[in-house]
Amino acid sequence: MKRALLLLCLAAAARAEERAFLETETSRDTYFVNEPFRLKLRIGVDRRFFETHAVQMFSRELDVPVQVQAPWLDELDGTVVRDDDARPGRRLSLALNDNVVEAHRGGDHLRDGRPYTVLEIERIYVATHPGKLEIAAPQLRFAHATEFKEDFVHGRMALDRRHALVKGQPLTLEIRALPEEGRPPEFTGAVGHRFTVHAEAAPRTLEAGTVLKLVLRIEGEGNLEFFDPPRLDGLAGRFHVYGRIDDKGAARRTITYDVAPLRAAVAEVPAIPFPYFDPRDPAGYRTVRTVPIPLTVQEGATGPAEPPPRKEAPRSVLPEVLAATLLAAAVAILLWRRARGRAAQDPGTAAAFRAH
């Protein structure tokens, strides 16, 4: 009898595990260093089974009463993780790792003739070094029962509560280093495709030595937030580059440089190259350029302008003043303690010390 009951419980647990699934999806199994890629976790639950048999696992009621363990959705060694799932549509709550999150509801799925409610959680990753990238198998836990009773205080309560565990499949990705062959000297780490670069300058009529704003706007599908800004090597000898302001966005990178033409012979801001690595087949380096910007540069009152000498920032003396003050205080306390100790050993000296 006990053996039959055990087999019945195991069969029920096996059937319960068939009421949910986990799938990890990505478009390729090979990526390059600095190339953004997406990982999507799909979670499916048997809609009718969960409506009638699922039990809430926590005090907070969830739309889908499951707990998913997939730590790589929050942090994955060797990568930078970004949550960029802003897709419109309905979202449903569930427990993910140690938090409650809202997951995007995907399209319904039929499995063995049963409708499944599907949730999707997506992240963008940028691998920082080459090698194997191991994504552990996700796990899903839920509670279920076949018998319930209505409680006046607690509501619907399970009488034969059981727990089920569903495991997905692990995933291994290969991360390749960017090739050295064909790499342009101006390359600063941009990886992606459909990059464009546009330049603007103001003012366009000015005296030599006067600063103008040179704005680069870079758009494309790639690691816009992670590469270094263009170095403007092509401006050397004709312009002095003072500094820049870098506005990093997920859809556009805007870099504003302060530059000054050095002499009236400068007639334009030359075309600025922007090289990037395109991982699509055939993978390789590509370069786009800005359109040259004509300038009218007049000679300054003092003749041709030269780059200003580098000035060292004034050194603060505050640390030295604080150190000297603390040292003097320590010496005073030490002398006071020694005098007090000698006074305590000699009654006459002690009386004089107190009087003093």
Side-chain angles (χ1 to χ4, degrees):
M1 182 66 180
K2 290 183 179 180
R3 178 177 176 81
L5 182 60
L6 176 60
L7 291 175
L8 182 62
C9 291
L10 291 175
R15 288 194 300 271
E17 292 176 4
E18 296 172 358
R19 307 296 182 169
F21 67 84
L22 288 166
E23 296 175 348
T24 305
E25 298 179 350
T26 187
S27 59
R28 308 198 310 265
D29 58 7
T30 301
Y31 295 95
F32 288 91
V33 170
N34 290 339
E35 178 188 359
F37 63 92
R38 295 177 181 269
L39 282 179
K40 180 188 295 184
L41 179 64
R42 299 179 73 242
I43 305 156
V45 296
D46 186 326
R47 185 187 308 160
R48 294 170 186 164
F49 177 85
F50 268 70
E51 286 175 353
T52 56
H53 298 290
V55 178
Q56 292 287 340
M57 301 174 63
F58 309 102
S59 58
R60 176 176 173 178
E61 186 170 332
L62 302 175
D63 296 329
V64 181
V66 299
Q67 182 180 28
V68 175
Q69 291 291 337
W72 45 266
L73 286 171
D74 297 327
E75 183 177 0
L76 180 60
D77 288 343
T79 72
V80 177
V81 185
R82 188 176 70 203
D83 182 359
D84 191 39
D85 191 359
R87 292 174 293 174
R90 186 182 176 190
R91 293 179 176 270
L92 301 176
S93 61
L94 75 158
L96 174 63
N97 299 327
D98 297 325
N99 300 301
V100 174
V101 301
E102 300 284 331
H104 180 268
R105 178 166 182 177
D108 289 345
H109 176 78
L110 281 178
R111 177 172 288 196
D112 297 331
R114 301 191 301 268
Y116 277 68
T117 298
V118 177
L119 305 179
E120 296 177 348
I121 303 174
E122 189 172 88
R123 298 286 189 269
I124 296 177
Y125 300 80
V126 177
T128 56
H129 56 265
K132 297 292 185 181
L133 195 60
E134 304 289 346
I135 291 108
Q139 298 184 357
L140 181 148
R141 302 177 188 274
F142 68 93
H144 62 98
T146 57
E147 298 182 34
F148 297 85
K149 74 171 184 178
E150 292 295 331
D151 183 83
F152 180 76
V153 176
H154 301 96
R156 186 169 181 256
M157 296 185 63
L159 298 179
D160 58 342
R161 177 178 177 135
R162 300 186 183 93
H163 292 267
L165 174 65
V166 180
K167 294 183 178 181
Q169 295 296 320
L171 184 64
T172 300
L173 302 179
E174 180 184 354
I175 307 300
R176 295 180 178 176
L178 296 177
E180 295 288 343
E181 183 179 357
R183 180 180 299 185
E186 303 91 354
F187 179 71
T188 58
V191 179
H193 58 280
R194 297 177 183 169
F195 277 112
T196 61
V197 59
H198 176 72
E200 297 177 0
R204 294 168 65 170
T205 300
L206 69 166
E207 289 186 352
T210 302
V211 173
L212 63 84
K213 300 289 185 182
L214 176 62
V215 180
L216 291 186
R217 292 187 176 90
I218 303 169
E219 298 181 359
E221 299 180 18
N223 61 338
L224 281 170
E225 300 175 64
F226 300 102
F227 59 79
D228 292 333
R231 293 185 294 266
L232 305 186
D233 295 340
L235 273 62
R238 288 175 286 178
F239 291 83
H240 180 73
V241 181
Y242 287 91
R244 63 176 181 260
I245 298 175
D246 196 349
D247 182 10
K248 299 178 181 180
R252 173 187 292 178
R253 181 89 171 261
T254 303
I255 310 166
T256 302
Y257 299 86
D258 284 339
V259 303
L262 296 178
R263 51 190 58 85
V266 176
E268 66 178 12
V269 176
I272 299 171
F274 177 71
Y276 64 93
F277 182 79
D278 190 340
R280 297 178 303 174
D281 191 33
Y285 291 97
R286 319 271 190 264
T287 299
V288 292
R289 290 176 171 81
T290 65
V291 176
I293 303 173
L295 299 176
T296 301
V297 181
Q298 303 168 353
E299 203 70 73
T302 58
E306 294 297 334
R310 180 178 179 86
K311 295 182 179 180
E312 296 293 339
R315 187 170 63 90
S316 173
V317 298
L318 182 59
E320 286 83 351
V321 173
L322 289 176
T325 302
L326 292 174
L327 179 60
V331 171
I333 292 173
L334 179 61
L335 293 176
W336 177 77
R337 287 183 174 177
R338 287 182 177 178
R340 186 176 180 182
R342 289 194 298 268
Q345 296 174 2
D346 185 355
T349 305
F353 183 81
R354 287 193 299 270
H356 175 72

